[in-house]
Amino acid sequence: MILEMSNIKKHFEDCEVLHDISLNVDSGEVVSIIGPSGSGKSTLLRCATFLEKIDSGTIKYEGQTIAHTPDGEKPIYLPKKEMVKVKSYFGLVFQQFNLFPHFSVLRNVCDAPINVQKRNKEEVEEKGRELLAKMGLADKADAYPFQLSGGQQQRVAIARALALNPDILFFDEPTSALDPELTGEVLKIIRQLAEEKMTMVIVTHEMSFARAVSKRVIFMDGGYIVEQGDPEKVFGDPSEERTKQFLRNYQQ
Amino acid sequence: MSLLTMILKMAEGLSKTCAIFFLTLLFSLPLGMIVALLRMSKDKVVSSVTRFVISVLRGTPLMLQLLAVTYGPYYLFGISVSRNKLIPVVIAFSINYAAYFAEIYRGGIESMAKGQYEAAAVLGYTKTQTFLKIILPQVIKRIMPSITNEVVTLVKDTSLAFTVSYQEMFTIGKQIANSQTSFTPFVVAGVFYFVFNAIVDFGMGKIEKSMQYYK
Amino acid sequence: MKKLFTVLLAGVMVLSLAACGKTAESTNTFTMGIDPEYPPFSSLGDDGKYTGFDVEVCQAVCDKLGWEMKIFEVNWDEKLVQLDSNECDCVWSGMTILDSMKEAGYVISAPYYDNTQVLLVKSDSGIATSADLAGKDVAVQLGTSGEGLLNGDLSDMAATFNKVITCDSFLKCFTELDGGAVDAVFVDLPVAVSYAQEHDGFTVLEERFGDEQYGIAFRSGDEALCKQVEDAVKELVADGTYKKIAEKYPDIINNLIFLQ
């Protein structure tokens, strides 16, 4: 099991965003999370990637406990030093790409492996160029983010996440900020990664894509996991009324 | 007195004007960053004390601060007035400009998108690395025009050093103007400041240009 | 009856206005340009009112001529520019008469005061003559005759000093001396004497420098105004008012030309 999140609770101010959510992801699994906005999907990803602190629950990567609340009080995270290593277990691709505008494309991809993971510069850059080639951006290594289209920027962001050799990759609505004609090139890359057995958790509004690429689909609403299972089952014959309603709205 | 003698005499003072200018930048630019970080501190006491100090420094004339730094220690504690006036002048200028720079830095830092911090956090950068490698270079690019403004103002503000009898270019100009009953030295001073600022403008423009490779 | 009195009063005022004829606009105010930091000639008193020998004499002159006196604080090193720009009608504030002023066309009154420059030092400094100041620092006020002397007639003496510091007020000169940043202040005799009397631990050196005189400066073309003021002063001297005022300022009374 690569990721085990159990009994995660999270609230902002007075608003309970995650009610006792549990999510396990197996190696090679592709999980899509769908649901209306405000359902807690993104917060769940942000908790898994430590951008938000959980109120209670347990997060484990590779069986190692990273955060837990043993006495039900404040969550205990691993000390900062060890978190650097933990962060190499996963990568996160943002809706808004969040590339570093002052770094060239290649440096965006290679800077963290070199300066955070302290890997050999030549090797990292060679790998970086390979990744960019795989993303169809071999000729953009020396360009700057502002010179790229949104779709190209998002592919750089994926390469940047992959450069750290993560065991699991999270996508937070990776195509929502893109013009419709550019979503295809990003989805193609994710599909390609799925074929290579990359473990991925994808928060998305692209229903047909989620249906096609994922092994498991989770439908979240109001901070709860309402339904999950095989995509054919969830999309084709959902058992919960709320799921049906959501999908119906989506098809209109 | 011939115009040439006048110019030469004032040019002698120009080295002192430059000393104020460069030393002030040397100290106030980093000091401003420290002040900005204190101002943004999560500790309420630290941030509000810093905020108060900044508002005093920005809310009172630099001329008064020069007098306070130069003569204050003597009147308050009996510490001798410094014979080398460059010391109190640079201290007063550095503190004053640090307050202005601090607010510029703070504006720049606070204008940075949250996503930059989050991307860096997920990639495993430490807080220091994030600040120095990711945030600061972008902030500097963003605040360059405001910094240039302050630097240009600093060139002109050096003339305030006359209030504590530091013999920089403008003080010498005033002396000549007075003894010769002539306005010419002020014209010369104006030309000096204009040329000085033209050079500053050119240099700052170069720096701004060097950061225009990205948006 | 009351009405008649008012009419008469108005008539008198009109007549006195016409008689004054100070300027083309014939306003009856007279604005005196002073350095408010130059006691005992002109200064801002503890009560916030201007005082000093020159201020009192000017007030007496205005009273005599039926003018309303106003005071304008000049920036000493720009006093003549401010005079030219009509911010004041005269500069009357222990002002040293310089040849350059006359050359520049300003109307200068007959001198009324003989001034002498001296060195003020700390009593415990062991400095007894100007020769002891070789290699030491001396302060002088920007725009004063003392500064002119050090740059001109006395430049040989100034060259023996380590440096001459010009301050923009006497207060700063004295603070520099008091605070130990300079070793002597080169200053007008009466100013030095009054400072040494009010503050312990200061000595005026015996040596006397320069021989300059104080006068009142008017704009070029204001000869008539100058004459009016000079005549009024003469009357004040004649009727004893001038002496009465001078007796309030013992530091300077011996140098007043009209009383000699």
Side-chain angles (χ1 to χ4, degrees):
Chain A
M1 205 65 78
I2 290 181
L3 170 66
E4 295 164 71
M5 298 176 85
S6 29
N7 309 105
I8 304 297
K9 286 185 183 169
K10 174 73 188 172
H11 80 284
F12 293 118
E13 315 264 295
D14 305 330
C15 176
E16 198 81 25
V17 185
L18 298 177
H19 300 270
D20 203 20
I21 298 276
S22 295
L23 168 69
N24 292 346
V25 183
D26 228 337
S27 180
E29 206 179 4
V30 177
V31 179
S32 292
I33 306 178
I34 59 170
S37 31
S39 59
K41 331 179 280 289
S42 287
T43 307
L44 185 62
L45 278 204
R46 292 171 64 84
C47 286
T49 52
F50 310 111
L51 290 175
E52 301 287 353
K53 266 197 171 163
I54 55 172
D55 293 341
S56 66
T58 309
I59 302 175
K60 289 183 182 180
Y61 275 98
E62 315 278 2
Q64 182 190 2
T65 303
I66 315 297
H68 63 146
T69 42
D71 44 8
E73 298 218 341
K74 276 194 166 177
I76 301 169
Y77 281 79
L78 284 182
K80 270 186 192 169
K81 260 192 171 171
E82 291 172 53
M83 286 305 280
V84 175
K85 184 165 183 295
V86 171
K87 283 176 178 173
S88 67
Y89 291 154
F90 62 81
L92 171 62
V93 175
F94 298 86
Q95 181 180 340
Q96 299 292 348
F97 333 135
N98 294 342
L99 293 178
F100 303 132
H102 57 308
F103 285 176
S104 69
V105 164
L106 186 64
R107 185 145 180 228
N108 261 288
V109 174
C110 298
D111 196 76
I114 294 167
N115 290 304
V116 175
Q117 294 184 328
K118 311 284 181 203
R119 281 152 57 188
N120 178 281
K121 188 170 179 240
E122 279 75 35
E123 284 172 28
V124 170
E125 286 189 350
E126 201 188 311
K127 165 122 197 271
R129 284 181 195 281
E130 276 172 34
L131 278 170
L132 286 174
K134 192 169 151 190
M135 301 292 143
L137 296 168
D139 56 335
K140 299 289 185 195
D142 298 321
Y144 284 85
F146 79 97
Q147 297 165 314
L148 306 182
S149 71
Q152 289 171 325
Q153 289 192 49
Q154 192 61 299
R155 283 183 278 154
V156 175
I158 296 172
R160 179 173 72 173
L162 288 171
L164 290 165
N165 294 327
D167 301 326
I168 178 169
L169 207 49
F170 297 98
F171 292 85
D172 188 2
E173 304 195 22
T175 57
S176 296
L178 297 177
D179 293 336
E181 69 268 24
L182 298 176
T183 56
E185 58 190 74
V186 172
L187 297 181
K188 200 180 109 194
I189 296 289
I190 301 176
R191 201 170 282 140
Q192 193 182 325
L193 291 172
E195 279 159 21
E196 293 167 15
K197 296 290 168 215
M198 183 75 210
T199 312
M200 293 186 285
V201 177
I202 307 160
V203 169
T204 185
H205 291 297
E206 299 282 337
M207 297 305 158
S208 51
F209 168 75
R211 187 171 187 165
V213 80
S214 34
K215 199 176 149 196
R216 178 154 55 108
V217 173
I218 296 174
F219 172 65
M220 279 183 76
D221 191 12
Y224 295 94
I225 292 181
V226 176
E227 183 166 0
Q228 61 175 309
D230 184 84
E232 290 310 316
K233 171 80 176 64
V234 174
F235 285 107
D237 179 24
S239 45
E240 296 292 327
E241 187 50 40
R242 267 197 282 175
T243 319
K244 284 180 194 165
Q245 203 182 344
F246 172 75
L247 291 173
R248 216 168 27 239
N249 285 344
Y250 236 87
Q251 274 149 11
Q252 278 164 3
Chain B
M1 189 183 283
S2 75
L3 182 63
L4 185 67
T5 333
M6 218 177 253
I7 292 173
L8 286 177
K9 275 199 134 181
M10 289 172 74
E12 274 173 41
L14 209 52
S15 68
K16 292 190 170 175
T17 300
C18 289
I20 302 174
F21 175 78
F22 287 112
L23 289 174
T24 299
L25 285 185
L26 180 69
F27 294 118
S28 62
L29 284 169
L31 183 62
M33 184 52 78
I34 295 169
V35 175
L37 295 177
L38 290 175
R39 172 76 179 78
M40 291 184 290
S41 163
K42 279 179 190 144
D43 187 321
K44 281 251 165 69
V45 178
V46 172
S47 74
S48 45
V49 167
T50 315
R51 188 173 166 184
F52 176 72
V53 171
I54 290 175
S55 73
V56 169
L57 289 171
R58 301 209 309 171
T60 58
L62 176 53
M63 195 188 276
L64 286 186
Q65 293 168 28
L66 273 165
L67 289 174
V69 171
T70 310
Y71 301 118
Y74 169 68
Y75 280 121
L76 294 176
F77 314 111
I79 300 167
S80 292
V81 176
S82 174
R83 276 183 190 248
N84 184 354
K85 288 293 184 314
L86 182 61
I87 297 166
V89 166
V90 168
I91 291 175
F93 268 87
S94 299
I95 293 174
N96 180 271
Y97 271 81
Y100 283 92
F101 286 140
E103 288 297 274
I104 293 175
Y105 291 146
R106 185 171 70 91
I109 291 169
E110 287 179 351
S111 76
M112 289 297 299
K114 219 173 85 189
Q116 292 290 305
Y117 291 96
E118 293 186 344
V122 169
L123 291 169
Y125 289 100
T126 63
K127 281 209 162 144
T128 318
Q129 279 177 322
T130 305
F131 184 71
L132 293 178
K133 286 181 79 87
I134 312 294
I135 303 300
L136 192 57
Q138 297 184 57
V139 166
I140 289 174
K141 177 185 163 82
R142 243 176 241 199
I143 64 176
M144 246 358 239
S146 316
I147 296 281
T148 304
N149 261 339
E150 288 301 320
V151 173
V152 166
T153 307
L154 173 60
V155 171
K156 294 176 284 178
D157 273 356
T158 54
S159 64
L160 286 175
F162 87 90
T163 46
V164 294
S165 320
Y166 185 62
Q167 311 281 310
E168 45 69 59
M169 185 263 286
F170 194 66
T171 310
I172 294 175
K174 279 185 128 180
Q175 287 164 18
I176 300 173
N178 198 60
S179 63
Q180 304 292 309
T181 328
S182 153
F183 241 123
T184 320
F186 294 123
V187 178
V188 174
V191 172
F192 272 137
Y193 285 123
F194 181 75
V195 171
F196 197 152
N197 262 331
I199 297 168
V200 166
D201 243 3
F202 178 77
M204 297 303 275
K206 280 255 167 196
I207 298 175
E208 279 183 47
K209 213 166 187 185
S210 75
M211 290 187 293
Q212 260 160 14
Y213 65 89
Y214 72 92
K215 277 179 190 159
Chain C
M1 187 63 207
K2 206 172 178 186
K3 214 170 187 181
L4 181 67
F5 179 74
T6 316
V7 171
L8 275 174
L9 190 68
V12 169
M13 281 173 76
V14 169
L15 280 174
S16 61
L17 259 176
C20 125
K22 182 171 69 68
T23 57
E25 306 91 56
S26 76
T27 52
N28 61 344
T29 57
F30 180 70
T31 307
M32 175 195 198
I34 63 158
D35 174 354
E37 279 191 50
Y38 198 66
F41 290 93
S42 53
S43 62
L44 195 54
D46 294 337
D47 55 356
K49 287 184 183 143
Y50 294 101
T51 179
F53 177 73
D54 283 349
V55 174
E56 287 196 44
V57 171
C58 183
Q59 185 64 61
V61 165
C62 288
D63 288 347
K64 194 163 256 322
L65 296 172
W67 294 345
E68 187 196 334
M69 185 175 95
K70 283 195 176 158
I71 286 185
F72 175 75
E73 291 187 12
V74 298
N75 196 342
W76 197 246
D77 43 317
E78 284 158 20
K79 55 186 179 287
L80 295 177
V81 178
Q82 290 176 307
L83 177 63
D84 277 338
S85 58
N86 289 321
E87 289 184 276
C88 51
D89 296 315
C90 69
V91 177
W92 187 348
S93 186
M95 184 196 73
T96 304
I97 300 169
L98 298 177
D99 289 342
S100 65
M101 292 175 183
K102 290 178 181 165
E103 284 160 20
Y106 294 98
V107 175
I108 308 291
S109 74
Y112 62 92
Y113 184 84
D114 251 324
N115 188 36
T116 312
Q117 300 292 314
V118 289
L119 286 159
L120 181 76
V121 298
K122 278 192 177 171
S123 306
D124 58 7
S125 64
I127 296 167
T129 67
S130 57
D132 294 339
L133 282 167
K136 308 230 165 172
D137 298 340
V138 177
V140 66
Q141 189 191 353
L142 183 63
T144 59
S145 49
E147 192 210 356
L149 278 176
L150 290 182
N151 284 325
D153 294 350
L154 294 178
S155 57
D156 288 347
M157 179 176 86
T160 67
F161 302 154
N162 175 41
K163 61 180 174 192
V164 175
I165 291 166
T166 44
C167 305
D168 60 354
S169 75
F170 276 125
L171 173 67
K172 279 179 198 160
C173 289
F174 293 136
T175 305
E176 296 274 337
L177 178 64
D178 203 8
V182 298
D183 304 289
V185 178
F186 193 61
V187 59
D188 297 343
L189 172 67
V191 180
V193 169
S194 81
Y195 189 82
Q197 275 171 357
E198 281 168 30
H199 301 82
D200 289 337
F202 295 94
T203 303
V204 180
L205 296 191
E206 289 299 323
E207 285 168 274
R208 298 286 181 266
F209 304 93
D211 53 346
E212 42 171 53
Q213 296 178 313
Y214 287 176
I216 311 162
F218 298 88
R219 275 183 291 278
S220 100
D222 272 350
E223 283 85 357
L225 179 62
C226 176
K227 181 86 175 33
Q228 255 183 312
V229 171
E230 281 179 333
D231 289 347
V233 171
K234 270 180 205 159
E235 285 177 43
L236 291 172
V237 173
D239 68 14
T241 317
Y242 195 82
K243 188 159 190 232
K244 236 186 228 168
I245 295 172
E247 278 165 351
K248 293 195 226 165
Y249 300 94
D251 297 339
I252 60 170
I253 194 161
N254 294 332
N255 296 32
L256 289 168
I257 294 170
F258 300 148
L259 296 182
Q260 282 164 0

